[in-house]
Amino acid sequence: MITTLTPSPSIDLDYQLAALQQGGVNRAREFALHAGGKGVNVSRVLTMMKVNNVAMVPMAKANGDFFLNAAEAEKLKLEILPIGSPLRLNVSLVHEGLTTKINAESSPWTESESKKIAGRFKIRARRSEFGVIGGSLPSGLDPQWLVKLISDNAHRTKVVVDCSGDVLKAAVSAKPFLIKPNQEEAENLVGSSIVTIADAIEACKEMHGMGAKNVLLSLGEQGSLYFNGEKLYRARAEKIVATNTVGAGDALLAGFIGKFKAGPIKALATGVAWSSAAIKSRGTGISAPPTDIPTELVTEINPKEASLHGEDLQH
């Protein structure tokens, strides 16, 4: 069993545009609505992988009908955590191989709501191999809430954190089992630019030293790295034409933890396969699951030889 918690769930509205004209009228070729949020996206892929999971979603009952209907259509198993604030609406504009996102801030929780949500996660964590906490926190919620949530459940489950900025910095101090930053998030966390693969490897080491027991670093077109403190693995990205990058990192994480028991090479290759499937799909959902798992794209790297990997990430 894997549990995901999405502190800031959303309804995602995706527009497919031929081009984006700033300051003008843009007409969409297609549009779609999805139940969204990082944890929900992870649960969506796990469900497609047939991995037993439940998505914990704080949500007001009054405006949650669409979210529930969308989740039911995708056969997502939800645990609704009742709160008083409404769901946010996020917009993705997909155009010319690029994705422009407009994300709303999530409404605040009351103190009572934050305590109840933490309590429910603790109960779920006892029965879960992984407890994934993904996305931003509601407006005004102190990152220390997340720090305590990680600390309180570290002995109950493998706590996975996928967040950014000051929230990620605080979370790492609580020693989560796994973090999954992208390049920009890693640069902000370690305070230095990542220009080469060697830089990325050093960043993984630094993030491990900061408290993360395992690091899964996504590098876009340059693939991803996994470091567990002793062994280091690199997965090169499949060469495909990107239709939409929204949800690619969530798919990478879901594939990785969904096959974690099979070992790092199979887990990383599975993450790459599902990430590629997300990139080839339009909108938040994945239109077609991967047909094979490219283990040949994954290689083990000697961490002591990190300086030898001077490959520029821009090439």
Side-chain angles (χ1 to χ4, degrees), residues 39-295:
V40 175
N41 292 342
V42 170
S43 278
R44 175 178 289 112
V45 174
L46 290 172
T47 299
M48 294 182 74
M49 293 176 65
K50 299 184 176 2
V51 174
N52 191 22
N53 76 94
V54 61
M56 303 180 71
V57 184
M59 186 174 65
K61 184 177 181 181
N63 68 348
D65 287 347
F66 169 77
F67 193 100
L68 294 173
N69 290 338
E72 183 178 357
E74 296 184 276
K75 299 181 180 179
L76 298 182
K77 182 180 178 182
L78 302 182
E79 179 178 346
I80 302 302
L81 307 173
I83 57 173
S85 53
L87 280 169
R88 60 185 179 142
L89 178 64
N90 293 338
V91 177
S92 294
L93 307 176
V94 183
H95 53 96
E96 302 166 294
L98 302 173
T99 301
T100 301
K101 288 187 65 67
I102 305 170
N103 286 353
E105 189 173 43
S106 186
S107 300
W109 295 340
T110 66
E111 184 176 352
S112 174
E113 288 169 348
S114 65
K115 290 181 178 178
K116 287 181 180 178
I117 290 168
R120 285 303 303 169
F121 184 82
K122 184 180 292 187
I123 291 172
R124 283 285 180 187
R126 294 194 187 104
R127 303 194 293 268
S128 301
E129 181 186 2
F130 289 96
V132 181
I133 307 164
S136 61
L137 298 182
S139 175
L141 185 63
D142 192 324
Q144 288 303 310
W145 176 85
L146 179 56
V147 171
K148 188 174 188 304
L149 190 67
I150 297 168
S151 299
D152 287 351
N153 292 283
H155 63 290
R156 295 184 173 90
T157 187
K158 298 180 181 73
V159 180
V160 179
V161 177
D162 187 5
C163 54
S164 60
D166 291 340
V167 178
L168 177 58
K169 187 174 183 179
V172 169
S173 69
K175 296 179 171 53
F177 179 80
L178 173 69
I179 62 172
K180 193 221 67 64
N182 59 29
Q183 182 178 338
E184 180 181 359
E185 291 162 350
E187 289 176 334
N188 290 335
L189 184 58
V190 302
S192 59
S193 297
I194 297 175
V195 179
T196 66
I197 291 296
D199 294 337
I201 293 171
E202 287 304 314
C204 287
K205 293 179 181 179
E206 285 190 51
M207 289 184 282
H208 178 268
M210 295 170 74
K213 296 177 182 177
N214 294 266
V215 177
L216 178 60
L217 173 60
S218 57
L219 297 169
E221 294 180 355
Q222 292 300 319
S224 54
L225 294 172
Y226 169 60
F227 182 55
N228 62 11
E230 295 181 0
K231 294 188 176 182
L232 175 70
Y233 299 86
R234 181 186 180 186
R236 294 184 180 274
E238 293 187 87
K239 293 182 179 181
I240 56 176
V241 176
T243 301
N244 178 22
T245 58
V246 174
D250 303 328
L252 171 68
L253 176 58
F256 182 80
I257 63 174
K259 280 292 182 181
F260 188 78
K261 287 183 178 179
I265 292 178
K266 187 66 175 289
L268 198 49
T270 303
V272 168
W274 280 96
S275 181
S276 297
I279 291 170
K280 290 185 284 189
S281 302
R282 293 181 175 181
T284 302
I286 294 178
S287 54
T291 55
D292 67 317
I293 305 302
T295 52

Side-chain angles (χ1 to χ4, degrees), residues 23-36:
V25 176
N26 294 274
R27 298 192 183 280
R29 296 184 298 188
E30 299 178 33
F31 75 92
L33 289 167
H34 303 274

